[in-house]
Amino acid sequence: MGYVDGVVRTDPDPYVLRFRGRYYCYSTDEQQVNVSVSDDLVHWMRLDAALVVPGRSHYWAPCVVYSDGLFYMYVSFRPTGSDDPHEELLHLATSARPEGPFTVRHRFFDTFAIDAHVVPDGDGGWVMFYSTNDVTGLDDHFTGTSIVADRLVEFDRPEGRPRAIVTPSLDEEIFERNRFGDGRDWYTIEGATYFTRGDRAYLTYSGNAYEREEYFIGYATAALNGGAPHELAWTKHPDPQTYAPLVRRSDHVEGTGHNSIVRAPNLVDDWIVYHGRDAAQPLVSGTEQRRMRIDAVVEADGALETAAPTVDRCPAPAAPTVGDLFDDALDRSLWRAISGDFVSGAGELRTGSAARNLIVTRHVSCDYVAEAWIRLDVSDLGARAGVIPVWLGESDYLEVAIDTASAELRATEWHGGVARVVDRVPLPNLDPTVWHHLAFWRRGHRISVTLDDRARVDAVVRSGPASIGLSSTRTEAAFSGFAVTDHASLRGEQLGDVGRLLRSKTPVVADQGGLSVPRGRLLVLEGVRPAAASTAYEVSLSYADSEARMAPWVAGERTRLDVIATPEHVQLQLLVEGRVVRSETTRKENASTATLQTTLYGDSAVVHIDGRRHLFDLPRAESAYQRIELRGARLSRYEFTALGTPLHHLPLAKEQA
């Protein structure tokens, strides 16, 4: 990755915000808060400074969130000329634009506080993670900086009941030895980033100091139980006494730390954005050398895996199956206007005030994840606009719309020209004239739509492929950042839906554990594979002779890519016309389970196992399919994601530095 103008820039403590389909990266700087923008996480353009405060310097670790028309920046800085890092005080600044300029509105505390990370609490509110010294500052054994979290009553007002989330417990977290001259070492835990995957929550953090060899990114985990993020039972991975970093220095890259986690443009894959510096360059005191880096991160069996820091060429973040930022005229190859008026350009798709404005994709899907941003122009007659998760025709579709007259998010199903409301949820105090985020997914006949993490409606529709669209009723509305990715994520009993994607030659029943095959029995699942796709598998291997053979690419029985898992090892094998042209075997760390992800595009494949990538060149084939064979094993998770466009490739890391 790099900047489009070719200039080499530094971006310590990168925080990435996704807004209206674009990415904004905010980073630490001596004189200002930097901000850059990208459409794909790979090609970046530096913008003007996001924040400059007269008489202040050392802007540390900005975090920016969006809500109801305003951007809120949480950042620490100190008086110009100060050499004391303990004068870093946490402030709040706001802007009506993601690029700024931001204006400082509030100071939170009178004592040291840094590295704020603000996230939704799942109930319409917000929680602030941050790092401070007063949790263990008086401790005899683990004195230092810890991560705490508190509920925000308002964006500028914590509840005042901070909870300790991650505290020091390892020698590798020592920032400075014998700091006070009394034998006590100073430990540092900072840089919290919260995200969820499946039924678990994760909190990444940085330990130690970025100039030291031990500097690393670790993480804590918690089971999602309906509580707010700061109320969960957090535990360091794998335990508080074991040093098991997610990311640490390599022979080529050092100073790897302080990250954010962001979804790829396909709305499915997680990427870790962090800073690092070229280990071959001499460390120059007083000169910033940390540059932004990105790598894929995956969740496997309740743990995180990444190959970071990579130095070889690797697949870039994947594009959606269908995506439109509406920067140019309406792309008629993607869209079909059913009725009304639509004008595309300058990052918006605007509708007229016709009785019915309907536009749908030419692409159809049964399983997908999608998003769209929306704002409405409200008249004294009210306003109504939203998304069409399922479009089968002018008399048969599902609409989920913001309705200002009833102040609710409403799901309405049309069947044979007759409408009925299938779900509704109130939207108190919603300002429809500012941008709002609609995230929605479909899994067969199940539909779910969420507005701004604050309201959700659900519906059950007929199975079968359908278009996805946008709509407004006698309302001038604007849409932005539209994306759809064909995607199915099935776990446990949900694997009963896998029959839409894969066919079983023998009857099998899904239960809470997934699809189980008794010892001595064989289950074969086969299905068509698009030309570009990513597939994740999680299998349980209960017996000594259990075997799971995942073949994401099969071009006939004699030409295929196999990943064979047993309790002892995982074997990767490429066969061409019955001849093994490449074979690799790795021993498994966990005998009872195996988790892997494969990504295929055209004539190449990437297999991700235990934090390592294996690259394969595939022979050309006119057609291919995927196949799973289970012997005395259980398939507990299956995820399938179609890739929208050819993958870019990241430049070599050594070229970045």
Side-chain angles (χ1 to χ4, degrees):
M1 55 159 290
Y3 284 89
V4 294
D5 60 6
V7 176
V8 175
R9 294 181 171 89
T10 58
D11 286 288
D13 308 330
Y15 179 87
V16 177
L17 169 72
R18 180 177 171 87
F19 177 70
R20 292 174 56 192
R22 287 192 163 90
Y23 298 93
Y24 295 84
C25 177
Y26 306 88
S27 63
T28 288
D29 191 271
E30 182 84 7
Q31 303 299 331
Q32 62 191 34
V33 172
N34 297 322
V35 59
S36 305
V37 64
S38 173
D39 291 347
D40 58 9
L41 285 174
V42 176
H43 305 92
W44 292 88
M45 180 173 66
R46 178 60 58 86
L47 306 177
D48 292 336
L51 175 67
V52 177
V53 182
R56 298 293 183 268
S57 63
H58 292 84
Y59 297 81
W60 281 10
C63 160
V64 179
V65 297
Y66 171 81
S67 179
D68 293 332
L70 274 180
F71 295 86
Y72 298 85
M73 176 186 288
Y74 296 80
V75 62
S76 299
F77 47 75
R78 68 178 92 152
T80 299
S82 171
D83 294 326
D84 185 359
H86 292 97
E87 290 191 20
E88 289 286 336
L89 303 182
L90 182 61
H91 292 74
L92 172 66
T94 62
S95 174
R97 299 163 58 89
E99 64 269 30
F102 285 78
T103 301
V104 173
R105 304 296 185 187
H106 177 72
R107 187 178 75 195
F108 284 95
F109 315 108
D110 294 328
T111 55
F112 174 84
I114 60 171
D115 296 0
H117 181 65
V118 176
V119 298
D121 68 357
D123 195 30
W126 299 80
V127 169
M128 181 172 71
F129 294 89
Y130 60 100
S131 294
T132 185
N133 293 340
D134 55 7
V135 174
T136 64
L138 303 178
D139 192 273
D140 289 335
H141 302 289
F142 292 106
T143 306
T145 305
S146 302
I147 294 173
V148 301
D150 199 359
R151 189 185 302 276
L152 290 176
V153 179
E154 302 289 346
F155 281 101
D156 60 356
R157 185 159 61 96
E159 189 176 42
R161 301 173 60 188
R163 299 188 181 194
I165 305 298
V166 183
T167 58
S169 60
L170 298 168
D171 284 350
E172 288 83 0
E173 296 162 352
I174 294 176
F175 179 94
E176 182 180 354
R177 293 192 178 275
N178 196 23
R179 184 169 196 168
F180 304 99
D182 58 4
R184 289 183 299 159
D185 300 322
W186 185 265
Y187 295 74
T188 294
I189 297 290
E190 60 187 8
T193 296
Y194 171 90
F195 69 106
T196 63
R197 202 68 159 136
D199 59 358
R200 299 199 65 79
Y202 296 90
L203 189 82
T204 60
Y205 61 87
S206 296
N208 208 296
Y210 76 86
E211 304 99 329
R212 303 184 185 279
E213 290 189 1
E214 296 87 355
Y215 185 56
F216 70 98
I217 297 174
Y219 67 96
T221 67
L224 288 172
N225 58 10
H230 67 309
E231 297 171 336
L232 304 178
W234 291 98
T235 303
K236 280 183 174 178
H237 176 83
D239 58 68
Q241 286 73 47
T242 302
Y243 177 60
L246 176 66
V247 182
R248 62 167 302 177
R249 76 184 304 275
S250 68
D251 293 339
H252 304 283
V253 185
E254 61 185 11
T256 51
H258 199 108
N259 71 278
S260 55
I261 302 289
V262 65
R263 287 284 167 89
N266 71 351
L267 312 178
V268 176
D269 303 327
D270 290 317
W271 284 72
I272 184 168
V273 185
Y274 60 101
H275 63 225
R277 62 175 179 264
D278 184 358
Q281 290 185 346
L283 182 62
V284 181
S285 178
T287 299
E288 184 56 71
Q289 296 172 284
R290 292 170 291 174
R291 300 183 59 194
M292 177 171 54
R293 308 177 64 86
I294 66 171
D295 274 292
V297 60
V298 299
E299 184 265 350
D301 195 25
L304 301 179
E305 297 177 358
T306 181
T310 55
V311 295
D312 298 320
R313 296 173 69 90
C314 56
T321 308
V322 176
D324 202 336
L325 297 177
F326 303 117
D327 286 333
D328 304 308
L330 188 65
D331 188 343
R332 299 288 176 174
S333 67
L334 297 179
W335 295 99
R336 181 164 59 98
I338 305 300
S339 62
D341 300 316
F342 296 89
V343 177
S344 176
E348 297 183 8
L349 176 68
R350 293 198 57 86
T351 72
S353 56
R356 200 71 171 136
N357 298 288
L358 285 169
I359 190 170
V360 299
T361 61
R362 297 187 182 276
H363 176 75
V364 297
S365 180
C366 296
D367 300 85
Y368 65 77
V369 292
E371 72 173 9
W373 290 80
I374 182 174
R375 61 181 175 85
L376 289 65
D377 295 338
V378 182
S379 71
D380 55 1
L381 301 177
R384 185 188 308 143
V387 295
I388 307 289
V390 173
W391 172 269
L392 296 171
E394 296 188 43
S395 300
D396 296 276
Y397 60 93
L398 175 72
E399 178 186 45
V400 177
I402 298 171
D403 190 301
T404 64
S406 59
E408 62 185 12
L409 183 67
R410 181 188 303 166
T412 304
E413 182 183 38
W414 292 81
H415 182 55
V418 179
R420 69 183 182 99
V421 176
V422 295
D423 199 7
R424 65 206 321 161
V425 62
L427 296 175
N429 306 315
L430 181 79
D431 180 359
T433 65
V434 300
W435 288 106
H436 293 280
H437 182 240
L438 284 166
F440 52 110
W441 56 260
R442 180 184 179 191
R443 192 175 70 240
H445 57 273
R446 299 175 180 88
I447 299 286
S448 183
V449 181
T450 302
L451 175 69
D452 292 342
D453 294 314
R454 73 172 86 183
R456 169 176 163 169
V457 294
D458 299 287
V460 176
V461 299
R462 288 176 293 165
S463 297
S467 298
I468 303 100
L470 308 169
S471 70
S472 69
T473 302
R474 294 189 173 88
T475 300
E476 294 185 3
F479 298 91
S480 184
F482 177 84
V484 175
T485 297
D486 290 340
H487 172 71
S489 179
L490 307 174
R491 298 170 184 253
E493 288 184 335
Q494 296 172 352
L495 281 162
D497 291 334
V498 78
R500 295 191 314 276
L501 306 168
L502 304 171
R503 295 291 181 180
S504 172
K505 296 184 177 180
T506 57
V508 61
V509 178
D511 57 23
Q512 291 183 346
L515 298 179
S516 300
V517 182
R519 193 173 189 178
R521 299 283 299 276
L522 170 67
L523 175 66
V524 177
L525 301 168
E526 291 182 344
V528 176
R529 181 190 67 82
S534 176
T535 310
Y537 314 83
E538 187 171 316
V539 295
S540 298
L541 305 161
S542 303
Y543 311 106
D545 56 353
S546 293
E547 181 181 280
R549 183 185 295 256
M550 283 72 69
W553 182 84
V554 182
E557 288 297 326
R558 292 171 54 81
T559 300
R560 55 192 283 166
L561 173 64
D562 274 336
V563 184
I564 307 165
T566 69
E568 292 80 23
H569 63 263
V570 176
Q571 181 181 14
L572 290 81
Q573 187 172 269
L574 178 62
L575 291 89
V576 178
E577 295 300 327
R579 182 173 62 90
V580 177
V581 298
R582 180 176 169 187
S583 180
E584 299 179 15
T585 301
T586 60
R587 292 199 60 82
K588 288 173 72 281
E589 296 182 2
N590 188 333
S592 61
T593 62
T595 303
L596 62 110
Q597 179 173 321
T598 64
T599 302
L600 297 97
Y601 194 90
D603 300 329
S604 63
V606 180
V607 181
H608 189 115
I609 303 174
D610 292 335
R612 299 185 63 184
R613 287 190 179 95
H614 305 262
L615 307 179
F616 288 84
D617 292 326
L618 304 176
R620 292 188 176 275
E622 293 184 1
S623 63
Y625 60 96
Q626 56 182 318
R627 180 184 175 98
I628 302 173
E629 300 175 14
L630 304 174
R631 291 180 174 84
R634 174 189 300 137
L635 180 67
S636 55
R637 177 168 69 97
Y638 175 82
E639 292 190 7
F640 182 83
T641 307
L643 306 182
T645 57
L647 296 178
H648 299 292
H649 283 81
L650 302 181
L652 291 175
K654 64 182 71 175
E655 295 174 355
Q656 297 179 7

